[in-house]
Amino acid sequence: MDGNVLTISLSRWMELPGMDYRSFGGGGPPTCRNSRASVASMAKYYSEYVKLKRLQENFRCGTVVTDVKPLANDQWLVTGVEHAGDEGALDMPFHYVTSHLVLATGNYDRPNKLKVPGDSEPYVIYSLLELERMVKQNKLSEHSDPVLVVGAGLSAADAIIACRFHGLPVLHAFRRSSGDPGFVFRQLPENMYPEYHKVHQMMTDGGNSYKKYKSLPEHKIIEIMPDYKVRLMGPGDGGSAACYVIKVSAVIALIGAQPDLYFLPQSGVGLGVKKDLPVASRSNPIEVEPFSYECTEAPGLYAIGSLAGDNFVRFVHGGALAFTSHIHKQLSDCEASAAADEAVEV
């Protein structure tokens, strides 16, 4: 994620217990509790929290989980590799057997592709970070052909804001009409999210009042060609659809993402609300018990965050508390049962 982007949630909504965000010294200007934070400063806050609470020993950094298998008695075998930090050192495999496994991998592993011919051309990118990298490498400048931004959500708006900051010309294609009442911008208070409302205003205006920006409502991508040309379909004369070709310097498509649960049996298919479809945070989250966040289809397996449909960081606290409470109760019941059995034997 681009560290300069502001969080959607207020900083106080994202605080962890026992550490005020304003007092930790995350760099940048001081903030009040009713303001938003930059992604970079929030990431630093969470990292500092681990140190302050002396939780480092609970983290295994530089690891990749490669396989998760169910075992007998509702246990799970977790296999992976820990990457060696020193040059020349060997990566070390690891294996864990556990009765309680929590999935908290988020929803941004696999950006949604355009699914049109040419959607993997080198100049087609799917992250804002990649856009910033192209600017730093001088592959994009104010003298370039337009950057084609595809999408009408907050991520696409972030890309437009970044392009305008760097002086890049922008063509903005999205499928809805410019007056569609379903745009996410309408759900955000204008006084708290002025930059997103400005983008929405630009989309509605069409770009007539904004230099180097033009919106293309009710458009879709038909084909992306190797020579930096893109075929679009949009409204034509008389209400009929028309195709035409534009020249661009880059295409940045920000149209959502999906989790990558490759390490689970069947890549997690069967765990969602719709059993025959892959897990997707908005359309098919993992089905969990509401008070424990335990997967309904897999005892001992839990899911929190966007995997369970909680799409904001501030909601993760509740999911973490829910599964912790559930596991703690299970362990307490086991200890009580063991103590009772021991008393009977005596």
Side-chain angles (χ1 to χ4, degrees), residues 158-179:
D158 288 332
I160 291 168
I161 293 167
C163 287
R164 289 181 60 77
F165 176 79
H166 293 294
L168 307 177
V170 176
L171 293 173
H172 182 196
F174 48 95
R175 294 196 174 198
R176 300 181 182 183
S177 68
S178 57

Side-chain angles (χ1 to χ4, degrees), residues 256-293:
Q258 305 298 332
D260 190 356
L261 302 177
Y262 65 91
F263 48 84
L264 290 176
Q266 297 181 313
S267 297
V269 174
L271 295 178
V273 175
K274 302 171 185 175
K275 305 304 178 190
D276 57 336
L277 296 177
V279 171
S281 67
R282 298 190 183 277
S283 60
N284 192 36
I286 293 177
E287 187 173 27
V288 298
E289 297 291 345
F291 296 107
S292 67
Y293 278 66

Side-chain angles (χ1 to χ4, degrees), residues 3 5 60 82 97 166 180 187 206 223 278 280 321-322 327:
V5 172
R60 295 288 296 274
E82 182 172 3
V97 175
H166 293 294
D180 193 306
Q187 304 172 24
E223 181 186 4
L321 181 61
I327 293 173

Side-chain angles (χ1 to χ4, degrees), residues 16-74:
L16 297 176
M19 184 173 170
D20 188 286
Y21 170 76
R22 296 171 299 172
S23 64
F24 94 103
T31 60
C32 67
R33 286 176 60 81
N34 289 319
S35 66
R36 295 154 65 198
S38 72
V39 167
S41 64
M42 210 71 227
K44 186 175 181 181
Y45 166 83
Y46 289 138
S47 181
E48 291 296 321
Y49 186 89
V50 172
K51 298 175 185 177
L52 178 71
K53 299 299 181 180
R54 299 178 180 177
L55 301 173
Q56 293 98 319
E57 65 179 22
N58 299 98
F59 285 80
R60 295 288 296 274
C61 297
T63 59
V64 176
V65 172
T66 56
D67 190 46
V68 171
K69 290 181 179 178
L71 301 176
N73 302 321
D74 293 333

Side-chain angles (χ1 to χ4, degrees), residues 6 36 157-158 161 190 192-200:
L6 295 180
R36 295 154 65 198
D158 288 332
I161 293 167
E190 186 171 357
M192 286 177 54
Y193 304 93
E195 74 277 29
Y196 291 133
H197 280 270
K198 174 59 70 174
V199 172
H200 185 216

